[in-house]
């Protein structure tokens, strides 16, 4: 395997180079240097947290100006082509082709967006690039236009590709119906199915082909159902000896090999035993809770995406795990009710893995006000963003005005994981105790 930055040659200032710089800004650096860049960025985040805690009058344990010890970045086992999910856009390419399938360079605000094919982008696997190329071939033959701006008409929009280490491939075609009737829609679905099963797209060997009629930037399954055109309704992944079912919109860590290491370390940090109840908040398809289920007495999972909870329940049953209960709904609504029934029952360990938007304030409040939670693991892909607000809410002194009555948490250890080689992003696990 080539090291990052070795043997990479793109024409200077070409569109390919501009896309690589936008999507994978560290692609030129040898991998060890990438890890060092990420370590420094995580260090700055912990320095910022330490100074915010001081402003709140909290004496943070000083560790070289940090709020807690920071371990070296744990590297990804796979450096190139590690993504198991890619989202491709349809827009004008550098040559003016309005049906280019690729990734964006530029911004909507500056009105300089160009869609560039992603064939050279190092974190996307060849299978994803192959499906994108076939989708472009299909829409180039179609008399229907691409949907570049909703209000200007057009139909062909995004393509989502998901793959697993089991060799499964799911493609999801996002389509704006505009004024098309059911008969015209049925024709397009039939053409897509034919292309990917009998036509040139058959080379992709899709396990699942989905179609979604979407009039918004992003639609959930509840807002606009994913329609299975061909193949199996789910794809399957294996992780830490367990088998997981994945629906079209279910969350699953984008780097499967990296996720295995992440979950193993999370298991160690939980210090859970047979008396422990594990709260898996924002649990997705249940990967974290299920991977730790055999160490604890009970797992309680909460997730807003209903289909992901269906997957989590299936995953538990398929893997013969009977001590997990998964709840569908907004964590800020479900969690306070759940915790009320667990107050003072047994030791609780919480693991939270929210989206970039962080945890809702009521979720933090429910965690703070539950005395049984002594240990909390916060997994964040953007700790410098909204997660920072959560860290301060967890650690600030009790505040009756904000209904924060519980004893504050304190940061004890930070471990960064490189789940996203070639990019500036890092997954940070912060251990809080009280």
């Amino acid at each position: 395997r080539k090291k990052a930055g070795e043997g990479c040659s793109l024409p200077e200032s070409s569109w390919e180079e501009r896309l690589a710089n936008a999507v994978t800004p560290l692609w030129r650096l040898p991998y060890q240097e990438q890890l060092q860049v990420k370590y420094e960025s995580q260090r700055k985040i912990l320095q910022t947290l330490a100074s915010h805690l001081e402003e709140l009058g909290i004496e943070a344990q000083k560790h070289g100006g940090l709020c807690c010890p920071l371990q070296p970045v744990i590297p990804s086992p796979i450096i190139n082509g590690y993504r198991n999910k890619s989202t491709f856009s349809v827009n004008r390419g550098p040559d003016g082709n309005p049906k280019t399938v690729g990734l964006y360079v530029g911004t909507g605000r500056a009105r300089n967006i160009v869609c560039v094919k992603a064939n050279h982008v190092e974190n996307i696997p060849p299978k994803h690039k192959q499906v994108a190329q076939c989708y472009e071939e299909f829409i180039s033959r179609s008399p229907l236009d691409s949907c570049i701006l909703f209000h200007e008409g057009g139909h062909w929009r995004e393509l989502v590709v998901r793959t697993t280490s089991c060799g499964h491939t799911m493609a999801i075609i996002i389509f704006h119906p505009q004024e098309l009737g059911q008969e015209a829609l049925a024709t397009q679905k039939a053409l897509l199915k034919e292309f990917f099963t009998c036509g040139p797209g058959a080379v992709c060997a899709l396990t699942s082909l989905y179609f979604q009629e979407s009039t918004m930037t992003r639609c959930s399954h509840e807002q606009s159902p994913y329609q299975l055109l061909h193949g199996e309704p789910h794809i399957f992944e294996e992780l830490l000896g367990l088998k997981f079912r994945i629906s079209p919109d279910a969350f699953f860590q984008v780097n499967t090999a990296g996720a295995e290491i992440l979950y193993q370390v999370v298991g160690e940090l939980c210090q859970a035993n047979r008396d422990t109840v594990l709260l898996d908040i924002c649990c997705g398809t249940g990967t974290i809770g299920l991977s730790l289920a055999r160490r604890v007495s009970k797992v309680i999972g909460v997730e807003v995406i209903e289909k992901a909870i269906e997957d989590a329940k299936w995953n538990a049953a398929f893997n013969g795990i009977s001590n997990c209960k998964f709840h569908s709904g907004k964590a800020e609504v479900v969690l306070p009710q759940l915790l009320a029934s667990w107050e003072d029952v047994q030791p609780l360990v919480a693991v939270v893995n929210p989206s970039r938007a962080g945890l809702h304030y009521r979720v933090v409040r429910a965690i703070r006000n539950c005395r049984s939670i002594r240990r909390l693991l916060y997994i964040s892909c953007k700790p410098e963003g909204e997660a920072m607000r959560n860290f301060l809410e967890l650690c600030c002194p009790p505040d009756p005005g904000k209904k924060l009555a519980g004893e504050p948490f304190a940061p004890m250890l930070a471990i960064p994981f490189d789940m996203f080689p070639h990019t500036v992003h890092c997954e940070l696990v912060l251990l809080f105790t009280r």
Side-chain angles (χ1 to χ4, degrees):
R1 187 189 294 149
K2 279 190 305 193
K3 287 183 185 172
E6 286 184 4
C8 305
S9 58
L10 292 175
E12 284 294 320
S13 297
S14 64
W15 284 106
E16 290 79 11
E17 186 195 37
R18 287 168 69 177
L19 178 61
N21 291 343
V23 177
T24 50
L26 305 182
W27 68 275
R28 282 189 182 83
L29 292 181
Y31 190 54
Q32 287 307 314
E33 288 183 33
Q34 292 189 26
L35 295 177
Q36 193 55 38
V37 167
K38 297 189 183 199
Y39 179 81
E40 292 305 326
S41 70
Q42 301 306 301
R43 199 181 154 72
K44 283 178 186 160
I45 289 163
L46 295 188
Q47 281 174 334
T48 303
L49 179 54
S51 62
H52 285 328
L53 290 174
E54 281 191 359
E55 287 166 15
L56 290 172
I58 300 164
E59 273 301 314
Q61 297 265 324
K62 288 295 178 179
H63 300 272
L66 310 182
C67 60
C68 63
L70 173 64
Q71 290 196 358
V73 182
I74 294 179
S76 172
I78 298 170
I79 300 167
N80 293 329
Y82 57 84
R83 290 191 66 91
N84 56 38
K85 180 183 179 184
S86 300
T87 302
F88 298 95
S89 300
V90 180
N91 212 309
R92 286 189 185 84
D95 59 357
N97 174 16
K99 291 182 173 179
T100 301
V101 176
L103 305 176
Y104 284 151
V105 173
T107 62
R109 188 174 294 173
R111 301 192 172 199
N112 62 352
I113 283 179
V114 176
C115 194
V116 182
K117 291 187 188 185
N119 297 336
H120 57 287
V121 177
E122 298 205 340
N123 61 352
I124 299 177
K127 173 59 80 174
H128 295 201
K129 297 170 183 177
Q130 180 188 47
V131 178
Q133 189 60 48
C134 286
Y135 180 49
E136 183 173 307
E137 185 180 339
F138 175 82
I139 65 174
S140 70
R141 300 176 178 193
S142 171
L144 300 183
D145 292 334
S146 55
C147 177
I148 291 173
L149 294 170
F150 290 175
H151 61 277
E152 290 184 2
H155 301 279
W156 300 113
R157 288 191 49 229
E158 290 181 338
L159 163 73
V160 179
V161 185
R162 303 187 77 150
T163 47
T164 70
S165 60
C166 305
H168 299 166
T169 304
M170 176 187 286
I172 306 161
I173 309 293
I174 315 292
F175 183 91
H176 197 311
Q178 302 290 359
E179 307 302 319
L180 288 183
Q182 286 306 309
E183 197 176 320
L185 282 167
T187 300
Q188 293 310 313
K189 289 185 256 188
L191 287 170
L192 267 170
K193 179 180 176 180
E194 183 185 17
F195 179 86
F196 278 104
T197 56
C198 315
V203 68
C204 300
L206 296 181
T207 314
S208 313
L209 174 62
Y210 273 99
F211 183 83
Q212 188 189 41
E213 298 164 35
S214 177
T215 57
M216 297 187 286
T217 307
R218 285 278 184 279
C219 270
S220 67
H221 175 78
E222 285 72 34
Q223 292 167 317
S224 178
Y226 290 94
Q227 303 167 47
L228 182 66
L229 303 186
H230 163 72
E232 303 299 322
H234 307 95
I235 54 176
F236 295 87
E237 185 56 282
E238 288 177 6
L239 197 99
L240 296 173
L242 301 175
K243 191 169 185 178
F244 292 95
R245 184 179 96 170
I246 301 170
S247 291
D249 62 344
F251 171 78
F252 201 89
Q253 283 286 357
V254 80
N255 179 340
T256 306
E260 287 201 305
I261 296 172
L262 173 68
Y263 297 161
Q264 282 172 322
V265 174
V266 165
E268 291 160 16
L269 291 174
C270 280
Q271 290 187 357
N273 57 41
R274 297 301 301 169
D275 294 326
T276 306
V277 175
L278 177 72
L279 280 172
D280 188 0
I281 302 166
C282 313
C283 67
T285 55
T287 45
I288 294 177
L290 292 169
S291 66
L292 303 181
R294 301 195 198 284
R295 303 185 187 194
V296 299
S297 70
K298 191 173 182 67
V299 173
I300 303 169
V302 179
E303 168 62 48
V304 69
I305 296 173
E306 217 170 293
K307 285 287 179 186
I309 286 295
E310 286 178 24
D311 288 344
K313 289 175 178 176
W314 186 94
N315 293 334
F318 182 84
N319 290 290
I321 298 170
S322 57
N323 63 338
C324 295
K325 192 128 171 91
F326 294 104
H327 301 266
S328 171
K330 290 182 177 178
E332 60 268 26
V333 176
V334 176
L335 195 65
Q337 299 167 350
L338 284 174
L339 290 182
S341 61
W342 285 94
E343 185 65 65
D344 295 330
V345 177
Q346 325 177 228
L348 292 177
V349 174
V351 177
V352 299
N353 187 16
S355 67
R356 290 183 182 185
L359 292 173
H360 191 284
Y361 175 70
R362 277 186 288 176
V363 176
V364 178
R365 191 170 69 194
I367 292 168
R368 273 285 301 255
N369 295 350
C370 180
R371 286 173 301 193
S372 298
I373 300 175
R374 312 304 300 169
R375 204 169 183 85
L376 168 70
L377 284 159
Y378 195 121
I379 305 169
S380 175
C381 59
K382 197 175 181 185
E384 71 279 16
E386 289 301 307
M388 184 66 73
R389 171 180 54 82
N390 290 160
F391 301 157
L392 298 174
E393 290 164 350
L394 288 165
C395 298
C396 70
D399 185 338
K402 293 181 178 177
K403 298 182 180 174
L404 282 177
E407 182 190 344
F409 285 86
M412 302 303 291
L413 181 65
I415 308 179
F417 292 78
D418 184 21
M419 303 288 278
F420 319 100
H422 306 302
T423 76
V424 294
H425 303 295
C426 214
E427 198 92 4
L428 184 68
V429 176
L430 255 178
L431 168 65
F432 294 91
T433 65
R434 61 178 175 180

